[in-house]
Amino acid sequence: MTESLQSAPGPFFGEFGGQFVPEALMAALDELTDAYEKARIDPSFTEELVRLARDYTGRPSIITDVPRFAKHAGGARVLLKREDLNHTGSHKINNVLGQALLTKRIGKTRVIAETGAGQHGVATATAAALMDLECVIYMGEEDTERQALNVARMRLLGAEVIPVATGTRTLRDAINEAFRDWVANVDHTNYVFGTAAGPHPFPAMVRDFQRIISVESRAQMLDLGGLPDAVVACIGGGSNAIGSFDAFLDDTDVRLIGCEAAGDGVETGRHAATLTGGRPGILHGSRSFILQDEEGQTLPSHSISAGLDYPGVGPEHTWLASIGRAEYWPVTDADAMDAFRLLTRTEGIMPAIESSHALAGAIRLGNELGPDATVLVTLSGRGDKDVEQAARWFDMLPKEDA
Amino acid sequence: MSALTDRLAEVRAEGRAALIGYLPVGYPTVEASVEAMRVLVDAGCDIVEVGPPYSDPVLDGPVIQHAAAIALEGGVKVDDAFTAVEAVAQAGAVPVVMSYCNLMIQRGYERFAQELKAAGGAGVITPDLTPDTGQDWIAAARAEDVDTIFLAAPSTTRERMHLTVGASRGFVYATSLMGVTGERASVGSAAERVVVEARAAGAEFVCVGLGVSTGVQAADVAAYADGVIVGSAFVKALGDHGDMEALRIKVQELAAGVRGQS
Ligand SMILES: Cc1ncc(COP(=O)(O)O)c(C=O)c1O
């Protein structure tokens, strides 16, 4: 028997991962690692998390057959894992509830978080309201503009939202700013990291909190008659994807496909497809693939989707790619938006633009595999936040000069 | 022994602390930044930290972020840092580089150490590399006799202090407070404790950085540390237009401070 690939502990996944951070943060990361190691095997923690997942988030999330959509995917059977139905509208809440509980456990009173699309910020602000924590969210200025609705949601929930005007004014700069805050306030502040990247323990811990997606979906598929031929998920930093993959990692017949944002197309240079177009380096505390120039300066990324617009990727994905266990496909803005419209029109389900990248991957895969195939797609979030942006893309807004 | 420890020992024999000035290369232009580093030396810096700008400087506050962004827009390259190192050495101060680790990794640790050595550089300060993940770098630096300068913070535990001091050569960089670079109204009271703890762990030379911007602050820190590191205050004095005179005046103020003449 070969060793299981599931729930790899970190800090390194193969040669990727680690803790490349200022010394000032090492004590906090050690404290967090230690607290998490204890919490994950403490029934008072795990049972509370299960209770919150059931009574607050609304888990388990269902899976939905989408036959009218699937006609456009080579007639393959396509099923959606409905993380969009979670409270707050995406998978992000799974991770946040775990980290917020952990914050309480280590006695800190303030949480900070970065957000791109705003979904992680909304989830963090929600958990902070629920658990009485002070909450500050960093968000790139460009993202506050394209995701204005979520900014208002966070503020309504009582969080302070700080637009970040430096650098590329997107997710990556929001992470830089959150790290700066953390270094200065680490005595009473916990950083609730939103994706399966960053320094250890975040990649492994966030994966563990998101693992519920594949634990549920694997059992749901077996109940329906068997494992799928492939699991498809979108990749920003990689949290919904790693959560969607983990329980399937040892099912070698199940293909695992992560869909990266290819923006205008990888060949144009205006994209966020890190595993397709990047190479190894250090960004935000871990060694992974990053989009960078020859000298090691991080390159600006581009995607229509704020949540995928990130020039890095979680180290476990880089490792899974390097050992050939998972595949990573680039999906352009245009293909993602076509898939967005298709699911909305054929099934009455409006996906997040992030998740639409996975849907586009499923269409491509279904056409490749044909009608005998079964494809499980993680619908990581709903599209409410994207209505204005999608309406603009499809030219459906009333003309200002009309 | 190294150029750094030699210089720090000389300064100690004079009964004062060293003044260590930081400037990012390429701000406001490559040429002006190299000239500014000569001003640092001329006006009283014993050691100069040359900073190759990095796109994601998580340990820097607004002043240095701004300077790095301008330098990068101007097309600064890592090679320019080695040019600046050479200029500092020629001007008579000991040059070190302060670099985020991805720039070093992409060049290759061995090559980075070799090129630094060839330019006359004495060591590298690594703000986002700790001894834990810095083993490859330490090996490459030792092979070239380049000093490895690691940071210690107010949050550094006793165990980690031993690790940090054990892996550092040249001096230990004690950060005076929990936070990023930038001027502060007062240097944190934690600074002295970090210095004492570093010495207790066996550090021969400990220099204090973060938040020092006035002669009075420098004099305070000089009372217990081997060196006073000043960055943002010099960057701000230099400014977007490369004001060498304003820089000179600021450096002179700090140089008087480390001599207890503030
Ligand atoms: C709905 C949705 N899906 C996916 C992502 C991408 O994040 P990750 O790759 O961590 O799942 C985001 C991030 O904002 C999101 O909001």
Side-chain angles (χ1 to χ4, degrees), chain A residues 83-84 89-92 115-121 147 150 171 194-197 206 210 213 233-243 259 305-309 313-314 317 351-356 378-383 385-386:
Chain A
E83 294 300 303
D84 62 315
S90 82
H91 68 292
K92 297 285 184 188
T115 197
Q119 288 303 102
H120 175 60
Q147 301 284 342
N150 271 342
L171 180 55
T195 190
V206 173
Q210 293 294 359
I213 300 173
C234 68
I235 305 253
S239 70
N240 90 86
I242 204 72
C259 295
S305 145
L308 307 188
D309 197 352
V313 63
H317 286 294
I353 296 177
E354 289 78 17
S355 321
S356 301
T378 297
L379 202 70
S380 57
R382 54 181 178 245
K385 68 184 175 61
D386 298 316

Side-chain angles (χ1 to χ4, degrees), chain A residues 16-95:
Chain A
F16 303 104
Q19 286 180 320
F20 297 83
V21 296
E23 168 63 23
L25 289 178
M26 288 299 285
L29 289 173
D30 285 348
E31 178 191 26
L32 200 58
T33 305
D34 191 51
Y36 176 60
E37 288 308 321
K38 294 194 175 100
R40 61 183 298 213
I41 51 169
D42 177 350
S44 72
F45 181 83
T46 54
E47 281 164 18
E48 178 64 0
L49 202 54
V50 167
R51 187 192 69 77
L52 284 169
R54 183 190 61 226
D55 300 344
Y56 193 70
T57 307
R59 302 205 73 90
S61 68
I62 58 174
I63 53 175
T64 302
D65 234 315
V66 286
R68 280 175 33 80
F69 173 85
K71 280 200 189 113
H72 303 263
R77 185 174 188 194
V78 177
L79 296 122
L80 306 182
K81 177 63 174 165
R82 301 290 304 279
E83 294 300 303
D84 62 315
L85 297 178
N86 294 338
H87 178 47
T88 72
S90 82
H91 68 292
K92 297 285 184 188
I93 192 79
N94 303 330
N95 168 42

Side-chain angles (χ1 to χ4, degrees), chain A residues 7-18 200 203-204 207 315-316 318-319 322:
Chain A
S7 304
F12 280 92
F13 307 89
E15 56 182 297
F16 303 104
H200 182 71
R207 190 260 338 276
E316 192 171 2
T318 306
W319 173 59
S322 73

Side-chain angles (χ1 to χ4, degrees), chain A residues 286-367:
Chain A
S286 59
R287 184 178 147 82
S288 188
F289 265 40
I290 53 181
L291 299 177
Q292 57 185 324
D293 73 9
E294 237 168 69
E295 300 234 299
Q297 309 289 357
T298 313
L299 289 171
S301 56
H302 170 81
S303 169
I304 187 172
S305 145
L308 307 188
D309 197 352
Y310 181 58
V313 63
E316 192 171 2
H317 286 294
T318 306
W319 173 59
L320 291 173
S322 73
I323 61 172
R325 179 60 191 99
E327 302 159 54
Y328 295 88
W329 292 4
V331 172
T332 61
D333 287 355
D335 285 351
M337 293 311 292
D338 285 350
F340 173 99
R341 180 166 58 186
L342 186 66
L343 187 74
T344 307
R345 294 273 173 96
T346 57
E347 301 285 349
I349 298 172
M350 191 180 294
I353 296 177
E354 289 78 17
S355 321
S356 301
H357 288 70
L359 293 166
I363 294 169
R364 203 187 301 169
L365 182 69
N367 281 309

Side-chain angles (χ1 to χ4, degrees), chain A residues 96-170:
Chain A
V96 160
L97 289 174
Q99 290 198 51
L101 273 184
L102 202 58
T103 304
K104 296 297 263 190
R105 238 179 120 94
I106 56 179
K108 293 188 175 177
T109 54
R110 177 176 179 263
V111 288
I112 55 172
E114 82 293 349
T115 197
Q119 288 303 102
H120 175 60
V122 165
T124 304
T126 298
L130 177 69
M131 298 187 202
D132 191 22
L133 294 160
E134 189 189 339
C135 179
V136 173
I137 305 292
Y138 291 94
M139 188 168 186
E141 210 167 47
E142 179 176 333
D143 296 336
T144 61
E145 287 154 17
R146 58 181 161 175
Q147 301 284 342
L149 185 70
N150 271 342
V151 175
R153 281 172 84 191
M154 290 182 268
R155 289 184 172 146
L156 287 168
L157 286 159
E160 182 185 355
V161 180
I162 302 183
V164 177
T166 53
T168 54
R169 301 159 67 238
T170 59

